[in-house]
Amino acid sequence: MRARIAGIAGGIAIAVLPLVAAQPPQPPQGRRPNAAAADEGIPITDPDVRLACGSCHVADDKGRMTRISYRRATPENWELTIRRMISLNHVTIAPEVARKVIKSLSDSNGLAPEEARPTMFEAERRLVDYTYAGDKDTHDLCNKCHSMGRVISERRTKEEWAGLLSMHRYFYPGIDGASGGFRRGGGGGGGGRGGNAAQGRGAGDGRGDNRQPYERAQDHLASAFPLMSPEWASWSAAMRTPKLAGRWAIAGYQRGKGPIFGELQITERSDTPDGFATDGKFTYARTGDSVSRKSRAIVYTGFQWRARSADGADDPGTWREVAFIERSGQEIKGRWFTGPYDETGIDVTLRRVSADAVVTGTDVASLKTASSGQRVRIFGANLPARVAPADVDFGQGVKVARIASTTPDVLTVEVDVASDARIGPRDLSLAGSTKSAAVVVYSKIDGIKVEPQAGMARLGGAAFPKRVEQFEARAFSNGPDGKPNTADDLDLGIVNAFWSLEEYTATFHDDDIRFVGQLNEAGLFTPNIDGPNPNRSGNRNNVGDVWVVGAYVPPGSDPSAKPIRGRAHLLVTVPLYMDWDYREVGR
Amino acid sequence: MTHLKPINQKANRVVDHVKAEAEGPVKADVVALQQTTPQQPHFPLGCSLVFSPGWEADSTGGTAGLCQPVERDIFDCHIGCFWPAQVPDQLNHAPDWTAKCASAQKDWRKLDLVFPG
Amino acid sequence: MRTLLCLLLASVALGAQQQAPRISGGNGVFYIGGYPNLIWIMDETTEKVTGTIQLKTGIPRRMQLSRDRTRFYIIDATAEKAEVVDIASKSTIDTFTLTEGNKRIRINSLEPDPTNRYAILLTRSGTKLRDRVEVGPATLLQYDLKEHKVMRTIPWPDGEERDNANLTFSPDGKLLYFLGNEILIFETENFTQVDRWDLSNLEEGLGQVSLSFGGFGGLDLTNDEPGFLTTAMTVEDPVQHRRMMGVARINLTKKDLEFYTIGPAGGVNFVLAPDRKHGYGLESAVDRYQFWTFDLDQRRVTSRTEFAGRPRMSLKTSSNGRLLYIYNAGATIDMYDAATYKYLRTVTLDGDMTTQFYVVPRTRP
């Protein structure tokens, strides 16, 4: 065994030959195996990584460690890999060393900004709708158990993609069959699991492709996400510690609570490479509540901001920050989140502030035509101390009637909107800074949308934590064409709706609404307790799906008018019994 | 609204669409979920898509098809490593996960949240 | 006096109520694999657990009754260890594993020959090397149960690796059947394939046939005549392209198949009753659960009735055919009257079941 590994000079293809030999004939490969493999692989020079990992991942004469050198990934993926080494391969590694290894490998074997951008939702822990467009079969196979985001967050050689799939099949033997569908499990002389009506199965899938599902995925991933790329070659040359120290204006949005504005200071930390600290404050524009916070960050791969809240010396990091640092060093954009399922989050954009004024946004998202004296607060930094109404330009049909108050970060104005002002967005300019589409002019609220349209909550409170779901209602106008759901529709911003639940009748005897949980007047849904419920038929859990309905009466409506309603679907389901959250990234 | 009650998702969409035409403001759900292929239920990202019978959702996107209750079948799930991302697997991450309870429906409170690695 | 009379009548009435006939499933014995490492033995008449067999290899996962009904072959939850349990003495008579060092051999199914001398194992290896893992192909092995040695590797028919093997021996052990839409027949001296029986094309004009073998946990041949298999089939005819379900009675020895269609195909399984004249089925769809009765003499589905079921149920008949047992995981077995489909009662075990179970009749076939 040892001799065989030591004998692998330039390629790791040899170790997987037995697997290849046992397969039915493969479709022809696009490159010569060993010869091409001999040129690949990123040498690892960091002594910490060589020491921590080198006893199993032996380095060759070019410094290429087995497996490690043939893969690039995000910090999150590297953390999961190291945790697998601990839990599945019985490696002992101190947390401090593990963090160094995560940092080192994220830098030497990371993703380029262009490669990482489409994967940010995964690191930001967003529950979005993502469909990998590259190959449906691969998407379907990987998505069966976990988010596809994990897969697109790495790059590997063909042998390494094969190694990844072998790892799945070794540790989860059932994955070949019912629990994963890695293999078809058919052919003559086989019956398959389950006592349902017989299903005919033949070799192949009728397209003349005899490969097993996992082999198809392997081949696709190797061609779509190879180890080397021009983007990485370019970035790994340019990569460096970003220059971030200074003032940054915060503009963000928290679902259910509305926009936030504020400012923070980023300073460099000397106790860890590429380490930074933030100290700042932000305010919820709709309520005036303000939050002071500190955090500690590490930048991986020269652009991946990962931080944890550090409000006290022993703050366990209840809030995490994941953001993308633009190459210009002028903007950092991402998400700050918390909660047992990272479900509570604020979308945040940081903009560098120098001496010039910068406008970051307004508290009010929309302005009605034919109105006067509407109060608007304009947020930013370095706003001028003396402002005349004419200095604030909202564009066509909108006039600042009066300046109510000025501070360096908030300018309060009163605004008149003409009755013939055209409906649509307006860019806001002040003191040389312009915020595009800062507000929207509308004449009539045509409806409200409830978001998220497909919500999810998880029961908890007894053995496992709850996942809450925050809903919000946003008003909209059909836009100039007057038709709903067309490209010119206008989003008029968050409104306070009256919230209620309605039964989503998936079955005739549906009684979910009695068990799933409570929706409060702020649109926050808190699920019920986990475990079997003896008060429910069949001892069922408190799972179910319901409609979340928002009802809104626009100000100035006829008192007898029916409220405008919108609804969303909410799935209240069982907990996750495993917590895969990233514990080391950002530390 | 009317005497007709929709009995499936497609019918729901028809009702909402008709309503939208009549009353204007109410939007049908189908619009907001345009990213999914038509006629497919929606499954939140990361939810298991193995519908035997399903962990977070059954094959229709709801909960009526899930095990009743999940604790009834939890050993089966655990021993068979059937939900690798959702339920601790007996083979690798949590060989002793059920050591404190012989019957999951009774002793489910003794199950721990597992932090792999 | 009247009060006394009332009391007397009341007590008679009460007594009569308490003596209402309780339908029994028979006088067989339940063997149920359970958590953490045992087999419960339950008397079918009293529905009480009368004893347990403690297992040496841990949590049982697959349980298989030998042909002569004297022993169980059990595969544990890791799929690496097998245990042979003698029913009469309620003790383990053998354990074995093929795993060696860092090479794990997972046994996915095990079929002992009728004389219990050897077993056919469907295995797959997983080898843990220092910095990688390797997963081998599915392999069929003939394993000597006495010597604990692999006698030979049986090459796959057509060299095509398969992931499942529903295997059964002929009653005399001379032939091994590989069940599927195509039944492959091997002789058991040298394990060469001697025949192949393509069931998917039974007759001109009939269309594509597919059969299912076994429900949760694999084949249960308790009720079938030795050498026969009764199972459900689906047919899609070439003219209307209509999918129909039917029943097939396969005579393995004669390579003969009696079949008939019964109605439109649906998600119904099929379980043969002990009298071999009836079958029962479970149709399971969200919020719609039905019991079906198949009359095999009349070749019809004689009743279909909704009942308050739940997702994930499996069905077995009691040894006298009068009760239907609904189970699958958990710690409960629900009893239903096979004639009326009425729910009768539930048996609750001390722990969760981890295998399918057998109801072994006291009378030999």
Side-chain angles (χ1 to χ4, degrees), chain A residues 119-180:
Chain A
T119 76
M120 288 308 287
F121 70 88
E122 178 74 13
E124 288 169 354
R125 305 281 286 156
R126 286 181 196 274
L127 207 67
V128 294
D129 279 340
Y130 178 75
T131 307
Y132 173 62
D135 180 65
K136 182 173 189 309
D137 291 334
T138 303
H139 172 86
D140 289 346
L141 188 70
C142 304
N143 230 30
K144 276 199 160 75
C145 293
H146 58 62
S147 155
M148 189 68 191
R150 193 186 293 197
V151 181
I152 62 174
S153 304
E154 56 181 283
R155 303 291 184 274
R156 294 175 177 242
T157 61
K158 186 174 170 67
E159 291 77 13
E160 282 306 314
W161 284 113
L164 177 71
L165 289 163
S166 291
M167 181 272 287
H168 281 62
R169 297 175 65 216
Y170 173 86
F171 287 108
Y172 302 103
I175 215 173
D176 281 343
S179 76

Side-chain angles (χ1 to χ4, degrees), chain C residues 28 33 58 118 128 134 137 139 154 163 167 181 200 242 252 323:
Chain C
Y118 65 87
K128 178 102 180 31
E134 281 170 10
T139 314
I154 301 168
D163 298 293
L167 300 169
N181 286 338
S200 59
R242 189 191 299 274
L252 286 170
L323 292 185

Side-chain angles (χ1 to χ4, degrees), chain C residues 85-97:
Chain C
V85 163
D86 175 66
I87 297 176
S89 64
K90 298 190 196 150
S91 61
T92 302
I93 52 181
D94 193 17
T95 66
F96 63 88
T97 181

Side-chain angles (χ1 to χ4, degrees), chain A residues 63-110:
Chain A
R64 293 176 299 197
M65 300 175 79
T66 65
R67 316 302 309 276
I68 301 173
S69 287
Y70 302 88
R71 181 218 194 188
R72 293 189 289 117
T74 56
E76 282 76 15
N77 273 19
W78 280 117
E79 172 175 333
L80 286 182
T81 300
I82 294 173
R83 276 164 48 187
R84 262 206 305 284
M85 298 301 126
I86 299 169
S87 63
L88 304 182
N89 296 336
H90 312 298
V91 162
T92 318
I93 180 172
E96 304 75 46
V97 178
R99 289 167 201 160
K100 281 198 185 132
V101 174
I102 294 173
K103 170 75 173 112
S104 179
L105 291 175
S106 301
D107 292 347
S108 65
N109 292 54

Side-chain angles (χ1 to χ4, degrees), chain A residues 264-313:
Chain A
L264 56 77
Q265 192 84 7
I266 298 184
T267 51
E268 285 170 9
R269 279 163 59 195
S270 53
D271 60 332
T272 192
D274 299 343
F276 296 88
T278 76
D279 187 349
K281 195 169 94 151
F282 67 85
T283 307
Y284 287 94
R286 293 175 87 227
T287 60
D289 293 334
S290 78
V291 177
S292 296
R293 66 190 297 275
K294 296 185 168 72
S295 69
R296 276 194 292 264
I298 295 179
V299 174
Y300 298 85
T301 334
F303 71 97
Q304 307 213 65
W305 174 274
R306 302 290 190 268
R308 289 168 189 268
S309 61
D311 293 323

Side-chain angles (χ1 to χ4, degrees), chain A residues 1-2 4-5 8 12 14-19 22-24 55-58 66-67 88-89 160 163 165-173 176 183-201 203 212 506-509, chain C residues 61 78 102 104 106 108 124-138 160-166 178-184 209-217 232-234 243 245 265-270 282 284 286-287 312:
Chain A
M1 210 66 77
R2 217 177 249 272
R4 182 155 73 147
I5 288 177
I8 296 169
I12 55 164
I14 294 172
V16 285
L17 262 181
L19 193 63
Q23 304 299 328
S55 54
C56 295
H57 295 280
V58 177
T66 65
R67 316 302 309 276
L88 304 182
N89 296 336
E160 282 306 314
L165 289 163
S166 291
M167 181 272 287
H168 281 62
R169 297 175 65 216
Y170 173 86
F171 287 108
Y172 302 103
D176 281 343
R183 290 181 63 89
R184 269 187 308 275
R193 197 190 128 138
N196 290 332
Q199 300 153 48
R201 280 204 252 269
Q212 296 288 344
T507 68
F508 285 104
H509 322 290
Chain C
R61 189 73 177 137
T78 65
N102 63 340
R104 296 184 193 274
R106 282 142 178 174
N108 294 324
R124 192 185 285 276
S125 71
T127 309
K128 178 102 180 31
L129 302 174
R130 197 167 248 208
D131 63 348
R132 71 196 63 229
V133 294
E134 281 170 10
V135 178
E160 215 184 285
E161 181 191 340
R162 291 163 169 81
D163 298 293
N164 288 305
N166 272 312
F178 221 119
L179 302 170
N181 286 338
E182 200 184 36
I183 296 185
L184 305 171
V209 170
S210 54
L211 296 117
S212 74
F213 294 98
F216 176 71
M233 59 182 254
T234 317
R243 288 183 75 239
M245 72 166 292
V268 165
N269 67 336
F270 177 86
L282 251 186
S284 213
V286 169
D287 207 38
R312 219 164 172 256

Side-chain angles (χ1 to χ4, degrees), chain C residues 57-308:
Chain C
T57 50
I59 305 171
R61 189 73 177 137
R62 275 184 77 110
M63 209 165 81
Q64 190 136 349
L65 184 61
S66 67
R67 191 66 71 91
D68 57 10
R69 299 189 179 172
T70 60
R71 50 178 79 179
F72 281 112
Y73 289 84
I74 293 158
I75 303 176
D76 82 315
T78 65
E80 291 178 47
K81 299 190 279 256
E83 185 162 346
V84 186
V85 163
D86 175 66
I87 297 176
S89 64
K90 298 190 196 150
S91 61
T92 302
I93 52 181
D94 193 17
T95 66
F96 63 88
T97 181
L98 275 66
T99 294
E100 261 173 68
N102 63 340
K103 185 170 189 184
R104 296 184 193 274
I105 305 286
R106 282 142 178 174
I107 305 169
N108 294 324
S109 65
L110 185 161
E111 186 68 26
D113 91 287
T115 62
N116 296 316
R117 280 183 305 117
Y118 65 87
I120 306 294
L121 308 178
L122 174 65
T123 64
R124 192 185 285 276
S125 71
T127 309
K128 178 102 180 31
L129 302 174
R130 197 167 248 208
D131 63 348
R132 71 196 63 229
V133 294
E134 281 170 10
V135 178
T139 314
L140 269 185
L141 302 172
Q142 184 193 15
Y143 185 80
D144 186 323
L145 291 169
K146 210 191 201 95
E147 303 293 320
H148 282 188
K149 273 206 338 246
V150 174
M151 295 159 75
R152 78 181 76 228
T153 304
I154 301 168
W156 291 102
D158 309 324
E160 215 184 285
E161 181 191 340
R162 291 163 169 81
D163 298 293
N164 288 305
N166 272 312
L167 300 169
T168 193
F169 283 90
S170 60
D172 60 9
K174 292 219 167 80
L175 295 173
L176 176 66
Y177 298 91
F178 221 119
L179 302 170
N181 286 338
E182 200 184 36
I183 296 185
L184 305 171
I185 306 166
F186 290 69
E187 49 78 21
T188 57
E189 285 292 314
N190 299 305
F191 289 92
T192 58
Q193 188 178 331
V194 293
D195 209 347
R196 129 194 266 142
W197 186 18
D198 186 1
L199 296 172
S200 59
N201 289 304
L202 282 180
E203 265 179 34
E204 267 309 303
L206 176 66
Q208 187 76 12
V209 170
S210 54
L211 296 117
S212 74
F213 294 98
F216 176 71
L219 278 176
D220 180 354
L221 298 173
T222 318
N223 289 337
D224 256 311
E225 242 183 276
F228 285 84
L229 279 174
T230 312
T231 187
M233 59 182 254
T234 317
V235 168
E236 185 177 316
D237 79 288
V239 172
Q240 299 279 326
H241 301 294
R242 189 191 299 274
R243 288 183 75 239
M244 285 177 282
M245 72 166 292
V247 177
R249 186 161 185 265
I250 303 170
N251 183 337
L252 286 170
T253 349
K254 291 233 181 90
K255 253 179 75 177
D256 187 31
L257 168 67
E258 229 182 80
F259 71 91
Y260 43 89
T261 56
I262 265 183
V268 165
N269 67 336
F270 177 86
V271 168
L272 185 67
D275 66 2
R276 297 182 189 142
K277 294 187 201 292
H278 292 91
Y280 292 94
L282 251 186
E283 182 175 32
S284 213
V286 169
D287 207 38
R288 200 182 73 241
Y289 307 103
Q290 291 190 346
F291 279 124
W292 288 28
T293 303
F294 301 86
D295 185 319
L296 303 181
D297 280 343
Q298 291 184 45
R299 299 189 169 186
R300 300 191 313 126
V301 173
T302 48
S303 69
R304 288 178 294 163
T305 306
E306 271 206 42
F307 74 105

